[in-house]
Amino acid sequence: MEISIGKTKLKTITGDITTQSTDAIVNAANSGLMGGGGVDGAIHRAGGTAILEDCKKIIAKIGRLPTGEAVITTAGNMPSKHVIHTAGPVWHGGGQNEEKKLKNCYAESLKVAMDNGLKTIAFPSVSTGIYGYPVNRASDAAVEAVIDFIKKNPGALFEQVIFCGFDSNTEKEYARALKERI
Ligand code: AR6
């Protein structure tokens, strides 16, 4: 489904984020930025070694990427231009500020995109795989954080923000979360 918030289209899709031709795709990474499983593994495989080279330079500079923050690298061989890496929270039942940390992942990723003049960006469902965050709650947090950021940053000029589920249930939850906020 697709809705508009001002000049920005918010769209839900089901598919492999590594095939998206956006200015940036977001990676559900970890604080070490050295790759891993899930979407992180898929992005490093599809993009090639140039991504890891950029990640190593970033880690040499900042030590580690704190949960909820985001950094940008090349997308290597993928059709997108950049990868924005964010480290999502591990789900511990909801009592450890997981929602705030997850929303920060979206806000910080969009801030990096805005600071780099990017107009189209695709997000995977950060934290809902290996990190165990429930898909319905994560979809609410994702949609809320993105809408909030767009409303607070009219200078961002985003044309399209894509919520990319890897399975149809995740897309269904994104669509529900969006409909509840129209
Ligand atoms: N395209 C889109 N979504 C995908 C893809 C893909 N190619 N592959 C998986 N997903 P996860 P996390 C979905 O586990 O929970 C890594 O080892 C997946 O179905 O990738 O944030 C990192 O290095 C799920 O909906 O990330 C970290 O250590 C979503 O992406 C840790 O896992 C996120 O699942 C991060 O765990």
Side-chain angles (χ1 to χ4, degrees):
M1 77 167 276
E2 199 173 295
I3 66 159
S4 291
I5 303 286
K7 287 180 183 158
T8 309
K9 282 186 185 138
L10 305 186
K11 187 179 168 187
T12 66
I13 62 166
T14 301
D16 180 353
I17 202 163
T18 65
T19 65
Q20 291 299 306
S21 308
T22 40
D23 289 339
I25 60 171
V26 174
N27 182 17
N30 58 59
S31 296
L33 284 190
M34 289 299 120
V39 71
D40 194 9
I43 285 173
H44 279 273
R45 274 195 301 278
T49 53
I51 298 177
L52 189 59
E53 291 313 311
D54 278 3
C55 286
K56 282 181 182 163
K57 283 180 203 150
I58 291 167
I59 290 299
K61 222 187 271 175
I62 67 172
R64 61 191 287 283
L65 178 69
T67 301
E69 294 192 12
V71 291
I72 190 166
T73 69
T74 177
N77 302 324
M78 288 184 289
S80 60
K81 296 190 191 114
H82 306 277
V83 177
I84 295 173
H85 304 260
T86 189
V90 176
W91 178 256
H92 291 291
Q96 294 192 24
N97 251 343
E98 292 97 324
E99 186 186 345
K100 185 161 184 276
K101 288 175 188 164
L102 186 59
K103 283 182 172 173
N104 276 348
C105 289
Y106 287 86
E108 289 299 316
S109 296
L110 290 175
K111 185 171 183 308
V112 168
M114 179 173 75
D115 291 347
N116 284 274
L118 309 186
K119 292 184 175 157
T120 56
I121 178 166
F123 283 97
S125 185
V126 178
S127 284
T128 63
I130 292 161
Y131 282 177
Y133 206 114
V135 172
N136 57 343
R137 294 186 190 220
S139 304
D140 283 317
V143 164
E144 224 165 272
V146 168
I147 291 177
D148 204 43
F149 187 93
I150 291 169
K151 286 187 173 164
K152 284 185 182 151
N153 294 276
L157 306 175
F158 294 133
E159 288 168 5
Q160 190 173 55
V161 178
I162 295 173
F163 295 100
C164 176
F166 202 37
D167 53 81
S168 57
N169 182 55
T170 301
E171 186 185 359
K172 207 177 80 196
E173 286 297 330
Y174 280 138
R176 175 199 53 75
L178 277 173
K179 274 186 206 131
E180 285 177 11
R181 287 165 181 82
I182 296 174

